[in-house]
Amino acid sequence: MSKNFQFLSVVFLGICLLLSSWFISQSLETKNIQTPNKQVPTQDVQNRYEFIMVASDYFIIFDKQTGDYWNKIGPSEWQKQNSIFVASK
Protein backbone atom coordinates (compact mmCIF):
# COMPACT_ATOMS: atom_id res chain seq x y z
CA MET A 1 0.00 0.00 0.00
CA SER A 2 2.79 2.41 0.86
CA LYS A 3 4.57 2.03 -2.53
CA ASN A 4 1.30 2.52 -4.39
CA PHE A 5 0.55 5.65 -2.32
CA GLN A 6 4.06 7.03 -2.94
CA PHE A 7 3.72 6.45 -6.69
CA LEU A 8 0.35 8.25 -6.78
CA SER A 9 1.80 11.13 -4.76
CA VAL A 10 4.69 11.58 -7.20
CA VAL A 11 2.34 11.46 -10.19
CA PHE A 12 0.00 13.98 -8.55
CA LEU A 13 2.91 16.30 -7.76
CA GLY A 14 4.15 16.06 -11.37
CA ILE A 15 0.71 16.90 -12.75
CA CYS A 16 0.43 19.87 -10.38
CA LEU A 17 3.83 21.18 -11.50
CA LEU A 18 2.93 20.84 -15.17
CA LEU A 19 -0.44 22.56 -14.72
CA SER A 20 0.99 25.40 -12.68
CA SER A 21 3.75 26.09 -15.22
CA TRP A 22 1.17 26.02 -18.03
CA PHE A 23 -1.05 28.51 -16.14
CA ILE A 24 1.91 30.83 -15.60
CA SER A 25 2.91 30.70 -19.27
CA GLN A 26 -0.68 31.43 -20.33
CA SER A 27 -0.89 34.44 -18.04
CA LEU A 28 2.36 35.83 -19.46
CA GLU A 29 1.09 35.38 -23.02
CA THR A 30 -2.19 37.10 -22.12
CA LYS A 31 -0.33 40.16 -20.82
CA ASN A 32 1.56 40.44 -24.11
CA ILE A 33 -1.65 40.17 -26.14
CA GLN A 34 -3.47 42.83 -24.12
CA THR A 35 -0.85 45.51 -24.87
CA PRO A 36 -0.28 45.31 -28.63
CA ASN A 37 -0.07 49.11 -28.99
CA LYS A 38 2.94 49.33 -26.73
CA GLN A 39 5.30 51.56 -28.65
CA VAL A 40 8.96 50.73 -28.80
CA PRO A 41 10.98 53.94 -28.58
CA THR A 42 12.81 54.75 -31.77
CA GLN A 43 16.48 55.60 -31.87
CA ASP A 44 15.59 59.32 -32.19
CA VAL A 45 13.50 59.31 -29.02
CA GLN A 46 16.07 57.33 -27.07
CA ASN A 47 18.83 59.78 -27.93
CA ARG A 48 16.80 62.97 -27.59
CA TYR A 49 18.36 64.10 -24.31
CA GLU A 50 22.01 64.29 -23.40
CA PHE A 51 23.25 64.41 -19.81
CA ILE A 52 26.43 66.45 -19.41
CA MET A 53 28.42 66.61 -16.19
CA VAL A 54 30.51 69.77 -16.30
CA ALA A 55 31.88 69.45 -12.76
CA SER A 56 31.09 67.28 -9.76
CA ASP A 57 28.22 69.61 -8.78
CA TYR A 58 27.27 71.19 -12.14
CA PHE A 59 24.99 69.25 -14.49
CA ILE A 60 23.31 70.02 -17.81
CA ILE A 61 20.53 68.12 -19.59
CA PHE A 62 20.36 69.09 -23.26
CA ASP A 63 17.30 68.48 -25.50
CA LYS A 64 18.64 67.80 -28.98
CA GLN A 65 15.27 68.38 -30.69
CA THR A 66 14.42 71.80 -29.29
CA GLY A 67 17.82 73.04 -28.19
CA ASP A 68 16.51 73.79 -24.70
CA TYR A 69 18.59 72.80 -21.74
CA TRP A 70 18.29 72.52 -17.97
CA ASN A 71 21.14 73.15 -15.60
CA LYS A 72 21.69 72.48 -11.94
CA ILE A 73 24.50 73.80 -9.81
CA GLY A 74 25.00 72.10 -6.46
CA PRO A 75 21.89 71.39 -4.37
CA SER A 76 19.78 74.00 -6.20
CA GLU A 77 16.72 73.21 -8.34
CA TRP A 78 16.85 72.49 -12.08
CA GLN A 79 16.56 75.70 -14.12
CA LYS A 80 15.28 75.62 -17.68
CA GLN A 81 17.16 77.77 -20.16
CA ASN A 82 15.93 78.82 -23.59
CA SER A 83 17.30 77.40 -26.78
CA ILE A 84 20.91 78.20 -27.46
CA PHE A 85 20.20 78.16 -31.19
CA VAL A 86 19.06 81.33 -32.91
CA ALA A 87 16.43 80.77 -35.59
CA SER A 88 17.65 82.12 -38.92
CA LYS A 89 15.22 83.90 -41.25
Side-chain angles (χ1 to χ4, degrees):
M1 175 76 180
S2 135
K3 286 191 175 192
N4 192 18
F5 182 71
Q6 184 179 9
F7 174 74
L8 289 176
S9 299
V10 170
V11 170
F12 179 73
L13 181 63
I15 291 172
C16 288
L17 286 172
L18 288 174
L19 282 175
S20 63
S21 60
W22 182 77
F23 283 132
I24 291 171
S25 69
Q26 291 301 312
S27 68
L28 293 175
E29 286 179 13
T30 305
K31 282 187 175 183
N32 290 338
I33 292 172
Q34 289 176 353
T35 58
N37 296 333
K38 186 176 182 182
Q39 295 179 352
V40 177
T42 62
Q43 191 69 16
D44 294 338
V45 174
Q46 287 180 347
N47 294 327
R48 178 177 177 179
Y49 298 99
E50 184 173 346
F51 181 80
I52 304 166
M53 188 169 103
V54 179
S56 62
D57 61 344
Y58 183 40
F59 307 102
I60 297 174
I61 296 178
F62 179 69
D63 185 351
K64 294 178 184 178
Q65 285 184 351
T66 63
D68 293 336
Y69 63 98
W70 296 263
N71 60 4
K72 179 178 181 177
I73 301 173
S76 65
E77 297 293 320
W78 287 97
Q79 298 175 354
K80 183 178 179 183
Q81 307 295 322
N82 291 332
S83 175
I84 59 175
F85 298 113
V86 177
S88 59
K89 292 183 180 181

